[in-house]
């Protein structure tokens, strides 16, 4: 069986909840303890054994490309000024990163569909850069990959969410398999009434390449967007799909409250 070695990071959205700052600063570049959010995501991917990353960007996200590029000018400056100890901070992650542009932010499903040629015929991860997980033992993606290696079917990262907040998420219906694993039987995007459970889809997924068949057939869903959740719903009619409740604390940096909580938590870690 093929191992999960590739990951897609969709980062082409407008970040409308965080306007006006997102007019000039992509949400994925929001600083958390001196590092941008997307660096946490790339480090999580590396920790989980990912070898190749595709970042989906858009016109105003060039800052992400610059960030993961070497700055020879800066390196020379640090060498000349005897600040060699800072070279590591100026270095780039040891992983292959490539980029593709999404011309219109038509939705997460559309962004993931752009990764078809990158993925080829392999299982792959999708990591949303606005969901930061702080986990005690294994990083969130490694937990999903472990589950994938057991079942070889798609795995969706879940977390329990307060009932009043479920309307903001994709919510699954499922039966408990064992431990943190669920057999998913249905999925609903942003349920207004009677959500099928309190298990919400979070920003971590593992897919087999068959997901592209479902993505290609999608039409606009909730909010006029091409919804990844709709492709998962179609997949459920044909294939097995496992839900995995991630052990760890999740912070949605698109939410001001979560962002502040995360900043405080990281600050505490640094000052200890
Ligand atoms: P979100 O819906 O959380 O991000 O998408 P957003 O659209 O940027 O923010 P709001 O909702 O307007 O405040 C989750 C991730 O998917 C990416 C976003 O960049 C974000 O990282 N995304 C979303 C795309 O790459 N393309 C899209 O068309 C939509």
């Amino acid at each position: 069986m093929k191992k999960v070695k590739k990951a897609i990071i969709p980062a082409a959205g407008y970040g409308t909840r965080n306007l006006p700052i997102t007019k000039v600063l992509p949400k994925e570049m929001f600083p958390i303890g001196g590092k941008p959010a997307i660096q946490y995501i790339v480090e999580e991917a590396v920790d989980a054994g990912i070898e190749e990353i595709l970042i989906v960007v858009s016109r105003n996200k060039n800052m992400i490309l610059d960030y993961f590029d070497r700055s020879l000018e800066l390196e020379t400056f640090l060498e000349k000024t005897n600040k060699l100890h800072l070279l590591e901070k100026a270095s780039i992650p040891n992983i292959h990163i490539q980029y593709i542009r999404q011309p219109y932010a038509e939705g997460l499903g559309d962004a993931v569909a752009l990764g078809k040629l990158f993925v080829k015929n392999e299982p792959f991860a999708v990591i949303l850069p606005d969901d930061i997980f702080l986990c005690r033992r294994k990083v969130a993606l490694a937990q999903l990959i472990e589950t994938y290696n057991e079942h070889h079917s798609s795995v969706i990262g879940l977390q329990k969410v307060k009932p009043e907040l479920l309307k903001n998420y994709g919510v699954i219906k499922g039966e408990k398999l064992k431990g943190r694993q669920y057999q998913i039987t249905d999925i609903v995007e942003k349920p207004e009434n009677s959500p099928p459970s309190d298990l919400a889809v979070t920003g971590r997924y593992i897919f087999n390449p068959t997901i592209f068949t479902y993505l290609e057939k999608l039409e606009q869903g909730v909010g006029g967007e091409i919804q990844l959740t709709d492709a998962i719903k179609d997949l459920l009619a044909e294939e097995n799909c496992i839900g995995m409740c991630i052990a760890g604390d999740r912070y949605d940096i698109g939410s001001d409250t979560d962002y502040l909580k995360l900043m405080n938590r990281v600050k505490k870690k640094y000052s200890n």
Side-chain angles (χ1 to χ4, degrees):
M1 267 293 175
K2 287 183 178 157
K3 293 232 157 93
V4 184
K5 294 285 172 200
K6 292 182 176 175
I8 299 178
I9 303 179
Y14 287 114
T16 54
R17 280 177 296 159
N18 301 90
L19 280 169
I21 189 67
T22 41
K23 273 171 80 183
V24 292
L25 181 68
K27 183 167 58 171
E28 299 78 14
M29 292 301 291
F30 282 7
I32 306 159
K35 290 194 287 192
I38 198 159
Q39 186 168 342
Y40 284 78
I41 300 300
V42 169
E43 286 173 0
E44 178 181 331
V46 172
D47 279 356
I50 297 295
E51 291 173 359
E52 281 179 69
I53 290 178
L54 176 74
I55 306 184
V56 184
V57 289
S58 51
R59 180 172 284 274
N60 62 345
K61 305 276 177 146
N62 290 340
M63 200 184 268
I64 299 176
L65 279 73
D66 289 341
Y67 182 76
F68 287 119
D69 196 2
R70 276 185 74 181
S71 168
L72 293 176
E73 218 176 294
L74 173 63
E75 286 174 25
T76 312
F77 175 79
L78 293 176
E79 277 163 12
K80 271 196 185 154
T81 52
N82 261 336
K83 290 180 179 163
L84 292 176
H85 62 287
L86 293 177
L87 271 179
E88 201 189 321
K89 280 196 170 172
S91 70
I92 54 170
N94 189 15
I95 188 165
H96 179 82
I97 302 181
Q98 48 179 289
Y99 303 88
I100 190 164
R101 267 197 181 180
Q102 184 188 22
Y104 301 101
E106 290 188 342
L108 186 53
D110 180 57
V112 175
L114 291 171
K116 189 179 175 185
L117 290 178
F118 163 78
V119 162
K120 297 198 179 86
N121 196 23
E122 292 175 40
F124 66 101
V126 172
I127 323 176
L128 300 194
D130 46 359
D131 261 350
I132 306 281
F133 278 93
L134 298 184
C135 305
R136 281 222 180 83
R137 291 194 189 143
K138 280 200 172 115
V139 294
L141 190 62
Q143 299 178 35
L144 264 74
I145 291 180
E146 199 172 69
T147 306
Y148 177 83
N149 291 340
E150 208 179 307
H151 297 272
H152 301 291
S153 42
S154 295
V155 182
I156 313 291
L158 305 171
Q159 276 211 326
K160 287 202 170 168
V161 161
K162 286 186 193 139
E164 65 273 20
L165 298 178
L166 285 166
K167 62 176 185 308
N168 302 320
Y169 293 86
V171 181
I172 67 126
K173 183 175 175 187
E175 284 145 31
K176 194 163 178 161
L177 281 177
K178 61 167 185 179
R180 296 178 161 272
Q181 295 179 3
Y182 292 79
Q183 180 72 52
I184 303 184
T185 53
D186 198 5
I187 188 163
V188 189
E189 182 63 27
K190 302 192 171 66
E192 277 300 332
N193 314 300
S194 16
S197 72
D198 61 350
L199 291 168
V201 176
T202 61
R204 301 291 181 276
Y205 313 77
I206 309 286
F207 292 114
N208 282 317
T210 47
I211 189 73
F212 292 107
T213 324
Y214 308 105
L215 283 169
E216 277 159 11
K217 289 186 199 146
L218 284 186
E219 287 174 8
Q220 286 178 349
V222 173
E225 293 193 1
I226 308 281
Q227 296 285 357
L228 180 60
T229 310
D230 291 341
I232 299 171
K233 204 176 166 73
D234 293 344
L235 176 142
L236 281 171
E238 311 269 338
E239 296 179 30
N240 198 27
C241 183
I242 306 292
M244 205 262 145
C245 210
I246 297 171
D249 298 325
R250 185 179 69 91
Y251 299 89
D252 168 9
I253 59 159
S255 133
D256 290 342
T257 328
D258 268 20
Y259 181 60
L260 281 177
K261 275 191 201 157
L262 178 58
M263 296 270 274
N264 278 328
R265 182 145 166 205
V266 172
K267 200 170 82 191
K268 259 189 216 152
K269 199 172 132 196
Y270 274 88
S271 53
N272 278 341

